[in-house]
Amino acid sequence: MWIADQWKDYEVIDTSCGEKLERWGSYLLVRPDPQVIWNTPKKHKGWTKMNGHYHRSHKGGGEWEFHQLPQQWSINYDHLGLTFHLKPFSFKHTGLFPEQAANWEWFYDKIKKADRPIKVLNLFAYTGGASCAAAAAGAFVTHVDASKGMVGWAKENAKASHIPETSIRWIVDDCVKFVEREIRRGNTYDAIIMDPPSYGRGPKGEIWKIEDSIYPFIQLCTKVLCKNPLFFLINSYTTGLQPAVLTYMLSTQLLPKFKGRVISDEVGLPVTESGLVLPCGASGRWEA
């Protein structure tokens, strides 16, 4: 498992009864987590003195309950010199997936050691954690997301992280349509990062369902890779897409064209109280 263990401003304190107790900077949040199927004693005082608690509804969705939590605050990922703005919004999210720091560290190192200019295409790029990490390593990043609001949030994170404005190109578009246009334009990239949702809609109502769409999309994305690409990273939060599935998809599309190697594994976050690691999805990595 790849573990995001370099955080100072973020911490999973404890997990129990379908929920996780987290520290985001100075604030404590309790949020649902489908992986937490165990029922262990909730001894930490944060379970009763949290600043925010997301209550899931039996009818789907849910709502936040707040206790002296600001509308927005920031945390730092000191290891790479990044800063992220956070705010609780729909469906339990805060605007950041801290476990992805394990992947940031991996490709940051690869970009630094590449000894050549690296162009990165970040698809379904959300609030820009990966874009900021890649740009901080010296890459030029094209950040693509269908949500104008998310791209605006990502711009704020890049500014807070002191990323030069010339390091990231911001695109609000359906990811599939954008890649198709880049193929027609003849544009290529040295690396691709993608963090596809399980289900989503593009700006014009385009439907994305990961089980049906992901493999053809990987196939399409290989056409915008340069002749000597550096890496290809795909993340999955869908339980049906296990590491072995990610390995198979990347291997069948990338190894025949570019050789290299593929490794996939779970990503996770250390839990302070138990000393265990909370699984948070999976990632597949192809590298030259």
Side-chain angles (χ1 to χ4, degrees):
M1 183 183 286
W2 294 316
I3 302 172
D5 56 4
Q6 297 296 319
W7 282 99
K8 294 180 180 177
D9 272 5
Y10 173 82
E11 175 187 12
V12 179
I13 298 172
D14 198 11
T15 57
S16 183
C17 303
E19 295 181 312
K20 56 189 174 186
L21 170 64
E22 307 163 287
R23 179 179 61 82
W24 298 79
S26 303
Y27 301 101
L28 299 182
L29 301 183
V30 174
R31 299 191 296 156
D33 192 306
Q35 299 291 332
V36 182
I37 61 175
W38 46 88
N39 181 359
T40 49
K42 294 181 175 181
K43 296 180 180 179
H44 194 279
K45 63 181 180 180
W47 285 111
T48 56
K49 295 186 177 181
M50 77 291 284
N51 300 101
H53 190 174
Y54 187 88
H55 298 280
R56 179 163 282 168
S57 169
H58 296 298
K59 298 177 182 179
E63 62 180 4
W64 282 97
E65 175 189 358
F66 298 125
H67 306 280
Q68 297 182 311
L69 185 72
Q71 289 186 328
Q72 179 172 302
W73 73 103
S74 300
I75 64 171
N76 300 316
Y77 186 63
D78 296 324
H79 208 242
L80 299 183
L82 305 176
T83 298
F84 301 105
H85 294 320
L86 307 171
K87 51 189 172 185
F89 69 110
S90 60
F91 195 60
K92 77 179 182 179
H93 295 307
T94 63
L96 188 67
F97 293 99
E99 69 275 4
Q100 286 303 316
N103 284 319
W104 303 342
E105 295 282 349
W106 173 72
F107 63 68
Y108 182 95
D109 187 59
K110 295 197 72 62
I111 293 167
K112 277 285 190 183
K113 292 179 179 177
D115 200 30
R116 60 184 169 103
I118 297 297
K119 290 170 59 182
V120 173
L121 176 60
N122 188 13
L123 301 163
F124 312 98
Y126 195 52
T127 57
S131 295
C132 290
F140 176 77
V141 181
T142 298
H143 174 111
V144 187
D145 197 278
S147 168
K148 184 177 180 181
M150 290 300 152
V151 173
W153 193 339
K155 288 181 180 179
E156 293 178 13
N157 286 334
K159 185 175 181 180
S161 298
H162 305 291
I163 303 296
E165 291 184 12
T166 54
S167 294
I168 304 178
R169 177 170 63 137
W170 307 101
I171 306 289
V172 179
D173 202 352
D174 174 77
C175 289
V176 177
K177 297 284 179 61
F178 178 78
V179 171
E180 288 172 342
R181 280 197 294 275
E182 289 292 84
I183 292 169
R184 292 195 294 270
R185 295 171 184 139
N187 291 336
T188 60
Y189 297 85
D190 302 281
I192 292 176
I193 299 166
M194 66 167 72
D195 205 339
S198 298
Y199 180 86
R201 290 184 180 271
K204 297 181 179 178
E206 301 91 342
I207 293 176
W208 169 277
K209 188 177 179 184
I210 195 167
E211 292 88 347
D212 299 333
S213 306
I214 189 60
Y215 188 70
F217 189 50
I218 293 172
Q219 194 172 27
L220 187 71
C221 286
T222 62
K223 298 178 182 178
V224 291
L225 286 171
C226 67
K227 292 180 180 179
N228 183 30
L230 185 63
F231 68 85
F232 194 121
L233 170 67
I234 178 170
N235 296 309
S236 169
Y237 299 94
T238 303
T239 54
L241 298 184
Q242 300 296 333
V245 177
L246 299 179
T247 293
Y248 194 87
M249 290 192 296
L250 289 173
S251 295
T252 55
Q253 285 302 312
L254 290 158
L255 296 184
K257 294 182 180 180
F258 304 112
K259 306 259 189 275
R261 67 171 185 160
V262 175
I263 302 176
S264 301
D265 207 340
E266 290 182 280
V267 291
L269 289 161
V271 182
T272 304
E273 289 288 289
S274 65
L276 302 178
V277 176
L278 177 66
C280 305
S283 295
R285 301 171 176 176
W286 171 87
E287 59 184 355

